[in-house]
Amino acid sequence: MSCETLPGFRACYPENGTRRSYIFEHWRTAAESFNFQEYDAPVLEPLELYIEKSGEEIVGQLFHFEDRGGRSVALRPEMTPSLARLVGAKANSLKRPIKWFNIGEHYRYERPQKGRLRAFYQFNADILGEAGALADAELIALLVQTLESFGLGAGDFKVRLSDRDLWLLLLAAEGMDAENSATVLGIIDKMERNSREKTLELLAGVLGDSAEAFMETVASVVAIRGFAELEQYFKALPLEGALLETAKSRLADWRVLLDALEHSGAASFVEIDLGIVRGLAYYTGFVFEAFEATGEGRALAGGGRYDDLVGKLCGQSMPAVGFAMGDVTLGDLLEKKSLLEVAEPTPDFVLVIGGPAERAQALKDAASLRAAGYCVEYPLKEVAFGKQFKDANQRGARFAIIYGSEELESGISKVRDLEAGKETDYPRADLVELAESLFGEGLQ
Amino acid sequence: MSCETLPGFRACYPENGTRRSYIFEHWRTAAESFNFQEYDAPVLEPLELYIEKSGEEIVGQLFHFEDRGGRSVALRPEMTPSLARLVGAKANSLKRPIKWFNIGEHYRYERPQKGRLRAFYQFNADILGEAGALADAELIALLVQTLESFGLGAGDFKVRLSDRDLWLLLLAAEGMDAENSATVLGIIDKMERNSREKTLELLAGVLGDSAEAFMETVASVVAIRGFAELEQYFKALPLEGALLETAKSRLADWRVLLDALEHSGAASFVEIDLGIVRGLAYYTGFVFEAFEATGEGRALAGGGRYDDLVGKLCGQSMPAVGFAMGDVTLGDLLEKKSLLEVAEPTPDFVLVIGGPAERAQALKDAASLRAAGYCVEYPLKEVAFGKQFKDANQRGARFAIIYGSEELESGISKVRDLEAGKETDYPRADLVELAESLFGEGLQ
C-alpha cells in the first residue's frame, strides 16, 4: 500500500493507545493536584506567531504552508506563543496567578531520530502573572511530582537548575555588552554538544585573545553544584552600584527558590548546574531541564522564566514561568525502567449466547450493564458455546454470563467466574445489582 | 495583536476546556462499556490516502501542502482512511471482530458556519471483520447509548436508518444500470437540500421523461416509516431470480437489525427513513444519521457499512461498519438543553499562610496532599490573611488549612470548612489521614 504513515509520525494501535492514555492521565492528575487548569489552542496557527517569538530561523523547522485563503500558517511547534495570545487577550479579566496546563500534539520538521519525532505530545504547564521565585518553585515541584508519579525516583532523574540572570551578571562583570552577552550565552548553551576547540573558536570570534581565559571562568562556573559555593562566587565578582544590588537580590531569590524546593521535597531531585542556559533567547531568569540521572538521552523536560514574551507577543506585560515535558523521551525512560507495563483493558462480562432465541435477553442485559458503566462483550454472530468460552478467556474477561435455553426457562443467571473457574446460579433479577455484588466479591 | 486564531479554529480557555473534557469523557466511557479499544493515527497523512478513498474532488476541501521533503500531505479530514490502513496492515493478526474507537481532531477547509468549523473533534467508532447485521446493531446501540449518557432522551434526538442495498434493488427494479444508480443515489442524497424543481431537473438528466414518475416513487419510499410497510413495498417490487433472493435476504437482515435494536433498548430512538443515503460513494449497506428530534440543525452523527473500503485502500478485504459523531453540533444541542452545565474544578484545600516562617510547613503539607491526589492551592507570595480567605472562597475551595505562628507552636492543624463556615482544631499529624477523614465527613 502506497499511503504509509509519514516519517516521524506514529500510528497508534490500541496496545500503544493504552500506554499513551496512561502517560496523559498521570500528567493530568499531577497538574490538577497543583490546581492547574486545562486549556487548549489550535493546532494550526499563523506562521507569523512563531516568527515574532523565535525569529525567521524557526521557519526551517516548521510544517508551514499557505492555506486556500492565502494565509501563511504553520502546525504548532510548541505551545507558548498560543498560550501568550490566549492570556494576553484576557489579561485584565483572568484571576492571577494564572496556572494553566495543556496536553497536546506538536510538530517539527526535523530529522527523526532516537527521542525525537516529527509529531510528539507535550505536557505544558505555566504560571503567569506572578514574578516571584515561589512561582518558579511551584512549577519545579510540579515537574518533580509528575515524574515521581510514574514511579521514577531520585536515582532515575534529576533537574538541572540554572539562571540566565546570574550569567548576565557574570558577563557584565567581564565587561560584555548586551549583544555580545546574548551571543556568548548561545555559545555556552551549545558547549556540551560542541568540542572544546569548537567552543574556543566561537568564543574567540566574540572575545578575541581573552577567549581562553574566559573559557576557564565558564568551566569553573558550570562546575558549581552547591549554593554556598555559588553565593561565594557571585559575591566575589567585581560588581558595583546597581549591578551589585542586582546580584544581592538575585542570590536572595535563589535562597527563596531553594528553600521552597527543600520544603516541597523536590530538592533531592534538583542540582545546581549553570551549564544549562536554554538556547531560546526569550528566557529571562531561572531555567531548568530534567534529564535521566545518568545524563543519557535527550531532556525529559525543559523550562524557565520568560517575563518579556507575553508583552512582546501581545502588548500586555505579564511575568511568566513554564515548562514542557515530551512523551517520547519520557516513554523511552519509563519503558527502560519497566514502569510502562500497563495492562490492556479487559471486559467485565462476556455474554455467552446459546442462539438467536437467547439473544433477546442477552442484549437487554448488555444494555443495562453497559449503561451502568460495566464493560460488556458478546459475539456478533452465532458461535458455538465452547468457542465463546475460549474467546472470553482470551479476552481476559472477569465473568461470563451464560444464556442457554435452560437458564432462560428456569429464570436464573448462570455466572462463571473465569478466574476462579466456578459457576454460580443466581435468581434472574436486576443484573446491575448482581454486577455490583460480583465486583464487590470479586475485586476486594 | 496580528496573530489571531485562524477562522474556523477555536481557542479553548479553561472554562471551555472543562466542557470539552466532559464530552470526551462521555464518549470514552460509552465506547469502553461496549468494549471498544482506543487507537489513534497521525493528524498529517499522505494526500493520496484521501484521493484514493474519495476521489480528486476531496482535495478542494482539505488543508493540504507539500512538505519540506516534497511529499503531498494533508491534515486529516476524517479518520476512516487511516483506520483502514492501520487495520489493513495487521489484518491477519488482529482478533476479529475489531472494535476500535478514537477521539481526535479533524480539519476541513470549508466556510465556517453554524455547526461547522474548520477544526472539529470527532468520536469515531468502527467494527471491522464482521459482516452481519448484528454488528450494525451493536454500533447503532453504541451511538444511542452515547447520546443518552449526556441526558438526551427520545424527545431530543432520533437516528434515521436507511439502506443503500434496498435503494440499489429499487433502482435495479426500475431497470437502472450501476452507473446511473450511483448518479441517482447522489441526487436522492441531496434531495432534502435541493428544491423539487432542481431535483427533477437533475433526475431528468439521467432518466429523461420518466423522471417525474420516478420522483413520485422516491417520494413514496422516503415516506415509509414502519418495517411492515417497507417489507410490503419491497416484496411487491417486480424482481426476479438473484435480485429476488437478494431482496428476501436483505429484508431478513433488516429483521435481525431491528430485533437487536429493540432488545438493546435503542429502537425507540430509531426511525426508518430512506431519505438518508449518505453521499459518500463507499457506503455499501445500512446507513444512518442522528439528528435533533426536531429535525433542525446538522447531523449529530452519521455512519454506515463500508464493506469495500478496506480492500480498496489496502488490498485486504474486510467488512466494516462505523460512525462518527462531531463535537460542534452535539455541543450546541447539549447547551440548548442545558446539559452542558459542567462545574469547573475547585481546590480541595487552600493553605492560608501567615508568613515566610510558616510557609515551610505549608509547602511540606501541600506536597503530601498533592501526592495523595488532593488538589491544593496556596499563595505564591506573601498575602494578608483576610485576602487569602477571600481568595479561597472565590476559588470555591472546600477547606482552608491555617498556618499561623500560633498553630505551628501549639502543634495543631486548624481547618476551616468554607461551606459550613466553621473552624476545627486537629492535632497536627498525618495530613493525608486528616484529609481522608475530612472528605469522608465533608462529602457524604
Side-chain angles (χ1 to χ4, degrees), chain A residues 18-84:
Chain A
T18 308
R19 290 171 168 214
R20 182 181 286 183
S21 298
Y22 179 83
I23 290 178
F24 290 0
E25 271 166 34
H26 280 70
W27 283 349
R28 181 168 284 117
T29 300
E32 288 178 346
S33 77
F34 277 65
N35 202 32
F36 281 64
Q37 297 185 291
E38 193 163 6
Y39 71 100
D40 201 4
V43 157
L44 198 70
E45 291 274 21
L47 178 59
E48 187 63 22
L49 185 63
Y50 304 110
I51 297 176
E52 271 191 29
K53 183 192 158 199
S54 309
E56 282 287 345
E57 61 276 19
I58 187 78
V59 176
Q61 297 164 35
L62 301 185
F63 284 94
H64 67 97
F65 59 101
E66 196 167 288
D67 78 5
R68 306 178 70 83
R71 298 170 200 89
S72 286
V73 297
L75 285 172
R76 63 182 182 202
E78 56 157 330
M79 206 60 186
T80 313
S82 306
L83 170 66

Coordinates of all heavy atoms in Angstrom, one line a residue, chain A residues 18-84:
Chain A
T18 N -3.2 2.5 25.0 CA -3.3 2.3 26.5 C -2.1 3.0 27.2 O -2.3 3.6 28.2 CB -3.4 0.8 26.8 OG1 -4.4 0.2 26.0 CG2 -3.7 0.6 28.3
R19 N -0.9 2.8 26.6 CA 0.2 3.5 27.2 C 0.2 5.0 27.2 O 0.5 5.7 28.1 CB 1.5 3.0 26.5 CG 1.8 1.6 26.8 CD 2.9 1.1 25.9 NE 3.4 -0.1 26.4 CZ 4.7 -0.5 26.3 NH1 5.6 0.2 25.8 NH2 5.1 -1.7 26.8
R20 N -0.3 5.4 26.0 CA -0.4 6.9 25.8 C -1.4 7.5 26.8 O -1.1 8.5 27.5 CB -0.9 7.2 24.4 CG -1.0 8.6 24.1 CD -1.5 8.9 22.7 NE -0.4 8.6 21.7 CZ -0.6 8.8 20.4 NH1 -1.8 9.3 19.9 NH2 0.4 8.6 19.5
S21 N -2.5 6.8 27.0 CA -3.5 7.3 27.9 C -3.0 7.3 29.4 O -3.2 8.2 30.1 CB -4.8 6.4 27.9 OG -5.4 6.4 26.7
Y22 N -2.2 6.3 29.6 CA -1.5 6.2 31.0 C -0.6 7.4 31.2 O -0.7 8.0 32.3 CB -0.7 4.9 31.0 CG 0.0 4.6 32.3 CD1 -0.7 4.0 33.4 CD2 1.3 4.9 32.4 CE1 0.0 3.8 34.6 CE2 2.0 4.7 33.6 CZ 1.4 4.1 34.7 OH 2.0 3.9 35.9
I23 N 0.2 7.7 30.3 CA 1.0 8.9 30.4 C 0.2 10.2 30.6 O 0.4 11.0 31.5 CB 2.0 9.0 29.2 CG1 3.1 7.9 29.3 CG2 2.7 10.4 29.2 CD1 4.1 7.8 28.2
F24 N -0.8 10.3 29.7 CA -1.6 11.5 29.8 C -2.4 11.6 31.1 O -2.5 12.7 31.7 CB -2.7 11.5 28.6 CG -2.1 11.7 27.3 CD1 -0.8 11.9 27.1 CD2 -3.0 11.7 26.2 CE1 -0.2 12.1 25.8 CE2 -2.4 11.9 24.9 CZ -1.1 12.1 24.7
E25 N -2.9 10.5 31.6 CA -3.6 10.5 32.9 C -2.7 11.0 34.0 O -3.1 11.7 34.9 CB -4.1 9.2 33.2 CG -5.5 8.9 32.7 CD -5.9 7.4 32.7 OE1 -5.4 6.7 33.7 OE2 -6.6 7.0 31.8
H26 N -1.4 10.5 34.0 CA -0.5 10.9 35.1 C -0.2 12.4 35.0 O -0.1 13.1 36.0 CB 0.8 10.1 35.0 CG 0.6 8.8 35.7 ND1 -0.2 7.8 35.2 CD2 1.0 8.3 36.9 CE1 -0.2 6.7 36.0 NE2 0.6 7.0 37.0
W27 N 0.0 12.9 33.7 CA 0.2 14.3 33.5 C -0.9 15.1 34.1 O -0.8 16.1 34.8 CB 0.4 14.6 32.1 CG 1.8 14.2 31.5 CD1 2.9 13.9 32.2 CD2 2.2 14.2 30.1 NE1 3.9 13.6 31.3 CE2 3.5 13.8 30.1 CE3 1.5 14.5 28.9 CZ2 4.2 13.7 28.9 CZ3 2.2 14.4 27.7 CH2 3.5 14.0 27.7
R28 N -2.1 14.7 33.7 CA -3.4 15.5 34.1 C -3.6 15.4 35.6 O -3.9 16.5 36.2 CB -4.6 14.9 33.3 CG -5.9 15.6 33.6 CD -7.0 15.2 32.6 NE -6.8 15.9 31.4 CZ -6.6 15.2 30.2 NH1 -6.5 13.9 30.2 NH2 -6.4 15.9 29.1
T29 N -3.4 14.3 36.2 CA -3.6 14.1 37.6 C -2.6 15.0 38.4 O -3.0 15.7 39.4 CB -3.4 12.7 38.1 OG1 -4.4 11.9 37.4 CG2 -3.6 12.5 39.6
A30 N -1.4 15.0 38.0 CA -0.4 15.9 38.7 C -0.8 17.3 38.6 O -0.8 18.1 39.5 CB 1.0 15.6 38.1
A31 N -1.1 17.8 37.4 CA -1.4 19.2 37.1 C -2.6 19.6 37.9 O -2.7 20.7 38.5 CB -1.7 19.4 35.6
E32 N -3.6 18.7 38.0 CA -4.8 19.1 38.7 C -4.6 19.1 40.2 O -5.2 19.9 40.9 CB -6.0 18.1 38.3 CG -6.5 18.4 36.9 CD -7.5 17.4 36.4 OE1 -7.8 16.4 37.0 OE2 -8.1 17.7 35.3
S33 N -3.7 18.2 40.7 CA -3.5 18.3 42.2 C -2.8 19.6 42.5 O -2.9 20.0 43.7 CB -2.6 17.1 42.6 OG -1.3 17.2 42.3
F34 N -2.1 20.2 41.6 CA -1.5 21.5 41.8 C -2.4 22.7 41.5 O -2.1 23.8 41.4 CB -0.2 21.7 41.0 CG 1.0 21.1 41.7 CD1 1.1 19.7 41.9 CD2 2.1 21.9 42.1 CE1 2.2 19.1 42.5 CE2 3.2 21.3 42.7 CZ 3.3 19.9 42.9
N35 N -3.7 22.3 41.2 CA -4.7 23.3 40.8 C -4.4 24.1 39.5 O -4.7 25.2 39.4 CB -5.0 24.3 42.0 CG -6.3 24.9 41.9 OD1 -7.3 24.3 41.3 ND2 -6.5 26.2 42.3
F36 N -3.8 23.4 38.6 CA -3.6 24.0 37.2 C -4.9 23.6 36.5 O -5.5 22.6 36.6 CB -2.4 23.4 36.5 CG -1.1 24.0 37.0 CD1 -0.6 23.9 38.3 CD2 -0.3 24.7 36.0 CE1 0.6 24.4 38.7 CE2 0.9 25.3 36.5 CZ 1.3 25.2 37.8
Q37 N -5.3 24.6 35.6 CA -6.5 24.3 34.8 C -6.1 24.1 33.3 O -5.2 24.7 32.8 CB -7.4 25.6 34.9 CG -7.9 25.8 36.3 CD -8.9 26.9 36.4 OE1 -8.5 28.1 36.2 NE2 -10.1 26.6 36.6
E38 N -6.9 23.2 32.7 CA -6.6 22.8 31.3 C -7.1 23.8 30.3 O -8.2 24.3 30.4 CB -7.2 21.4 31.1 CG -6.7 20.7 29.8 CD -7.0 19.2 29.8 OE1 -7.7 18.8 30.7 OE2 -6.5 18.6 28.9
Y39 N -6.3 24.1 29.3 CA -6.7 25.0 28.2 C -6.2 24.3 27.0 O -5.5 23.3 27.0 CB -6.0 26.4 28.3 CG -4.5 26.3 28.0 CD1 -4.0 26.7 26.8 CD2 -3.6 25.9 29.0 CE1 -2.7 26.7 26.5 CE2 -2.3 25.8 28.7 CZ -1.8 26.2 27.5 OH -0.4 26.1 27.2
D40 N -6.6 24.8 25.8 CA -6.1 24.3 24.5 C -6.1 25.4 23.5 O -6.8 26.4 23.7 CB -7.0 23.1 24.0 CG -6.2 22.2 23.1 OD1 -5.0 22.5 22.8 OD2 -6.8 21.3 22.5
A41 N -5.4 25.2 22.5 CA -5.2 26.2 21.4 C -5.2 25.5 20.1 O -4.9 24.3 20.1 CB -4.0 27.1 21.7
P42 N -5.4 26.2 19.0 CA -5.4 25.5 17.7 C -4.1 24.8 17.4 O -3.0 25.2 17.8 CB -5.7 26.6 16.7 CG -6.4 27.6 17.5 CD -5.8 27.6 18.9
V43 N -4.2 23.7 16.6 CA -3.0 23.0 16.1 C -2.4 23.8 15.0 O -1.2 23.7 14.7 CB -3.5 21.6 15.7 CG1 -2.5 21.0 14.7 CG2 -3.6 20.7 16.9
L44 N -3.2 24.5 14.3 CA -2.7 25.3 13.1 C -2.8 26.8 13.5 O -3.8 27.3 14.0 CB -3.6 25.1 11.9 CG -3.0 25.4 10.5 CD1 -1.9 24.5 10.2 CD2 -4.1 25.4 9.5
E45 N -1.7 27.5 13.3 CA -1.6 28.9 13.8 C -1.0 29.8 12.7 O -0.3 29.2 11.8 CB -0.8 29.1 15.0 CG -1.4 28.5 16.3 CD -2.4 29.4 17.0 OE1 -2.9 30.4 16.4 OE2 -2.6 29.2 18.2
P46 N -1.2 31.1 12.7 CA -0.5 31.9 11.7 C 1.0 31.8 11.9 O 1.5 31.8 13.0 CB -0.9 33.4 12.1 CG -2.2 33.2 12.9 CD -2.1 31.9 13.6
L47 N 1.7 31.6 10.8 CA 3.2 31.4 10.8 C 3.9 32.6 11.6 O 4.8 32.4 12.3 CB 3.7 31.3 9.4 CG 5.2 31.2 9.2 CD1 5.8 30.0 9.9 CD2 5.6 31.2 7.7
E48 N 3.3 33.8 11.4 CA 3.8 35.0 12.0 C 4.0 34.9 13.5 O 4.9 35.4 14.1 CB 2.8 36.1 11.7 CG 3.2 37.5 12.1 CD 4.5 38.0 11.3 OE1 4.8 37.5 10.2 OE2 5.2 38.9 11.9
L49 N 3.1 34.1 14.1 CA 3.1 34.0 15.6 C 4.5 33.4 16.0 O 5.1 33.8 17.1 CB 2.0 33.0 16.0 CG 1.8 32.8 17.5 CD1 1.4 34.1 18.2 CD2 0.6 31.8 17.7
Y50 N 5.0 32.4 15.2 CA 6.3 31.8 15.6 C 7.5 32.6 15.2 O 8.5 32.6 15.9 CB 6.3 30.4 15.0 CG 5.1 29.6 15.5 CD1 4.1 29.2 14.6 CD2 4.9 29.3 16.8 CE1 2.9 28.6 15.0 CE2 3.8 28.6 17.3 CZ 2.8 28.3 16.4 OH 1.7 27.6 16.8
I51 N 7.3 33.3 14.1 CA 8.4 34.2 13.7 C 8.6 35.4 14.7 O 9.7 35.7 15.1 CB 8.2 34.8 12.3 CG1 8.1 33.6 11.2 CG2 9.2 35.8 11.9 CD1 7.8 34.0 9.8
E52 N 7.5 35.9 15.1 CA 7.5 37.0 16.1 C 8.2 36.6 17.4 O 9.0 37.3 18.0 CB 6.1 37.5 16.5 CG 5.6 38.6 15.6 CD 4.3 39.2 16.2 OE1 4.1 39.2 17.4 OE2 3.5 39.7 15.3
K53 N 8.0 35.3 17.8 CA 8.6 34.8 19.0 C 10.0 34.4 18.8 O 10.9 34.8 19.6 CB 7.8 33.6 19.5 CG 8.4 33.2 20.9 CD 7.9 31.8 21.3 CE 8.9 31.2 22.3 NZ 8.8 29.8 22.4
S54 N 10.3 33.7 17.7 CA 11.6 33.0 17.7 C 12.5 33.5 16.5 O 13.6 33.0 16.4 CB 11.4 31.5 17.5 OG 10.5 31.0 18.4
G55 N 12.0 34.4 15.7 CA 12.8 34.9 14.6 C 12.6 34.0 13.3 O 12.0 32.9 13.4
E56 N 13.1 34.5 12.2 CA 12.9 33.8 10.9 C 13.5 32.4 10.9 O 13.0 31.6 10.1 CB 13.5 34.7 9.8 CG 12.7 35.9 9.3 CD 11.5 35.5 8.5 OE1 11.4 34.4 8.1 OE2 10.6 36.4 8.4
E57 N 14.5 32.2 11.7 CA 15.2 30.9 11.6 C 14.3 29.7 12.0 O 14.6 28.6 11.6 CB 16.5 30.9 12.3 CG 16.4 31.1 13.8 CD 16.4 32.6 14.2 OE1 16.1 33.4 13.3 OE2 16.6 33.0 15.3
I58 N 13.2 30.0 12.7 CA 12.3 28.9 13.1 C 11.6 28.3 11.9 O 11.3 27.1 11.9 CB 11.3 29.5 14.2 CG1 10.4 28.3 14.7 CG2 10.3 30.5 13.5 CD1 11.1 27.6 15.8
V59 N 11.4 29.1 10.9 CA 10.6 28.7 9.7 C 11.1 27.3 9.1 O 10.3 26.5 8.8 CB 10.6 29.8 8.6 CG1 9.8 29.3 7.4 CG2 9.9 31.0 9.2
G60 N 12.5 27.2 9.1 CA 13.1 26.0 8.6 C 12.7 24.7 9.3 O 12.9 23.6 8.8
Q61 N 12.2 24.9 10.6 CA 11.9 23.7 11.4 C 10.4 23.4 11.4 O 10.0 22.5 12.1 CB 12.4 23.9 12.8 CG 13.9 24.1 13.0 CD 14.3 24.6 14.3 OE1 13.6 24.3 15.3 NE2 15.3 25.4 14.4
L62 N 9.6 24.2 10.7 CA 8.2 24.0 10.8 C 7.6 23.3 9.6 O 8.1 23.4 8.5 CB 7.6 25.4 10.9 CG 8.0 26.3 12.1 CD1 7.2 27.6 12.1 CD2 7.9 25.5 13.4
F63 N 6.4 22.7 9.9 CA 5.5 22.4 8.8 C 4.7 23.6 8.6 O 3.8 24.0 9.4 CB 4.5 21.2 9.3 CG 5.2 19.9 9.3 CD1 5.7 19.4 10.5 CD2 5.2 19.1 8.2 CE1 6.3 18.1 10.5 CE2 5.7 17.8 8.2 CZ 6.3 17.3 9.4
H64 N 4.9 24.3 7.5 CA 4.2 25.5 7.2 C 3.7 25.6 5.7 O 4.3 24.9 4.9 CB 5.0 26.8 7.6 CG 6.2 27.0 6.7 ND1 6.1 27.8 5.6 CD2 7.4 26.5 6.8 CE1 7.3 27.8 5.1 NE2 8.1 27.0 5.7
F65 N 2.7 26.3 5.5 CA 2.2 26.4 4.1 C 1.2 27.6 4.0 O 0.9 28.2 5.0 CB 1.5 25.1 3.7 CG 0.3 24.7 4.6 CD1 -1.0 24.9 4.2 CD2 0.5 24.1 5.8 CE1 -2.1 24.5 5.0 CE2 -0.6 23.7 6.6 CZ -1.9 24.0 6.2
E66 N 0.8 27.8 2.7 CA -0.2 28.9 2.5 C -1.5 28.2 2.4 O -1.7 27.2 1.6 CB 0.2 29.6 1.3 CG -0.6 30.9 1.2 CD 0.0 31.8 0.1 OE1 1.1 32.4 0.2 OE2 -0.7 31.9 -1.0
D67 N -2.5 28.6 3.2 CA -3.8 27.9 3.1 C -4.6 28.5 1.9 O -4.1 29.4 1.2 CB -4.6 28.0 4.4 CG -5.3 29.3 4.7 OD1 -5.2 30.2 3.8 OD2 -5.8 29.5 5.8
R68 N -5.8 27.9 1.6 CA -6.5 28.3 0.4 C -7.0 29.7 0.5 O -7.4 30.3 -0.6 CB -7.7 27.3 0.3 CG -7.3 25.8 0.3 CD -8.5 24.9 0.2 NE -9.1 25.0 -1.1 CZ -8.6 24.3 -2.2 NH1 -7.6 23.5 -2.0 NH2 -9.2 24.4 -3.3
G69 N -7.0 30.3 1.7 CA -7.3 31.7 1.8 C -6.1 32.6 1.7 O -6.2 33.8 2.0
G70 N -4.9 32.1 1.3 CA -3.7 32.9 1.2 C -3.0 33.2 2.5 O -2.1 34.1 2.5
R71 N -3.4 32.6 3.6 CA -2.8 32.8 4.9 C -1.5 31.9 5.0 O -1.6 30.7 4.8 CB -3.7 32.6 6.0 CG -5.0 33.4 6.0 CD -5.9 32.9 7.1 NE -7.3 33.3 6.8 CZ -8.1 32.7 6.0 NH1 -7.8 31.5 5.5 NH2 -9.3 33.2 5.8
S72 N -0.4 32.5 5.5 CA 0.7 31.7 5.9 C 0.5 31.1 7.3 O 0.3 31.8 8.2 CB 2.0 32.6 6.0 OG 2.4 32.9 4.7
V73 N 0.4 29.8 7.3 CA 0.1 29.1 8.5 C 1.1 28.0 8.8 O 1.8 27.6 8.0 CB -1.3 28.4 8.4 CG1 -2.4 29.5 8.2 CG2 -1.4 27.4 7.2
A74 N 1.1 27.6 10.1 CA 2.1 26.5 10.5 C 1.4 25.6 11.5 O 0.6 26.0 12.3 CB 3.3 27.2 11.1
L75 N 1.8 24.3 11.5 CA 1.4 23.4 12.5 C 2.3 23.8 13.8 O 3.5 24.0 13.7 CB 1.8 22.0 12.1 CG 0.8 21.4 11.1 CD1 1.3 20.0 10.6 CD2 -0.6 21.2 11.7
R76 N 1.6 23.9 14.9 CA 2.3 24.5 16.1 C 3.5 23.6 16.5 O 3.4 22.4 16.6 CB 1.4 24.6 17.3 CG 0.8 23.3 17.8 CD -0.2 23.4 18.9 NE -0.6 22.1 19.4 CZ -1.7 21.9 20.0 NH1 -2.6 22.9 20.3 NH2 -2.1 20.7 20.4
P77 N 4.7 24.2 16.6 CA 5.9 23.5 17.1 C 6.0 23.5 18.6 O 6.7 22.7 19.2 CB 7.0 24.3 16.5 CG 6.5 25.7 16.4 CD 5.0 25.6 16.2
E78 N 5.2 24.4 19.2 CA 5.3 24.5 20.7 C 4.0 25.3 21.1 O 3.3 25.8 20.3 CB 6.5 25.2 21.2 CG 6.6 26.6 20.5 CD 7.5 27.6 21.3 OE1 7.6 27.5 22.5 OE2 8.1 28.4 20.7
M79 N 3.8 25.3 22.4 CA 2.5 25.9 22.9 C 2.6 27.3 23.4 O 1.6 28.0 23.4 CB 2.1 25.0 24.1 CG 0.6 25.0 24.4 SD -0.3 24.4 22.9 CE -2.0 24.6 23.5
T80 N 3.8 27.7 23.8 CA 4.0 29.0 24.5 C 3.4 30.2 23.7 O 2.7 31.1 24.3 CB 5.4 29.2 24.9 OG1 5.9 28.0 25.5 CG2 5.5 30.4 25.9
P81 N 3.7 30.4 22.4 CA 3.1 31.5 21.7 C 1.6 31.6 21.7 O 1.0 32.6 22.0 CB 3.6 31.4 20.3 CG 4.9 30.6 20.4 CD 4.6 29.6 21.5
S82 N 0.9 30.4 21.5 CA -0.5 30.4 21.6 C -1.0 30.7 23.0 O -2.0 31.5 23.2 CB -1.1 29.0 21.2 OG -0.6 28.6 20.0
L83 N -0.3 30.2 24.0 CA -0.7 30.5 25.4 C -0.6 32.0 25.6 O -1.5 32.6 26.2 CB 0.3 29.7 26.3 CG 0.2 30.1 27.8 CD1 -1.1 29.7 28.4 CD2 1.4 29.5 28.6
A84 N 0.5 32.6 25.2 CA 0.7 34.0 25.4 C -0.5 34.8 24.8 O -1.0 35.8 25.3 CB 2.0 34.5 24.8

